[in-house]
Amino acid sequence: MSFGDYLYIVVAGLFAYMTFAIVRNNFRSKFDEEWRRKDLAEKEAQEKEDR
């Protein structure tokens, strides 16, 4: 295998890892410390204030 083939494999691996990290962090940002959805908690809090 040539140097370009090795470089392609490394770049493909980095791309896969970075994509996984971005998706994981995006998913984790939607939850609080107790793994409750932030958007649903805000909606419930606002509904309680409206009552």
Side-chain angles (χ1 to χ4, degrees):
M1 289 177 33
S2 67
F3 175 73
D5 293 339
Y6 289 119
L7 183 63
Y8 181 80
I9 291 169
V10 169
V11 169
L14 287 174
F15 176 77
Y17 176 76
M18 289 174 58
T19 302
F20 174 76
I22 290 168
V23 170
R24 182 186 63 196
N25 289 334
N26 186 25
F27 179 77
R28 286 184 175 179
S29 71
K30 295 179 186 286
F31 294 89
D32 62 5
E33 296 81 25
E34 298 176 4
W35 290 103
R36 293 179 299 195
R37 287 198 45 143
K38 290 180 182 178
D39 57 346
L40 296 179
E42 292 172 358
K43 187 184 286 187
E44 289 175 2
Q46 188 175 13
E47 287 176 0
K48 286 181 183 179
E49 289 177 3
D50 292 342
R51 293 181 190 168

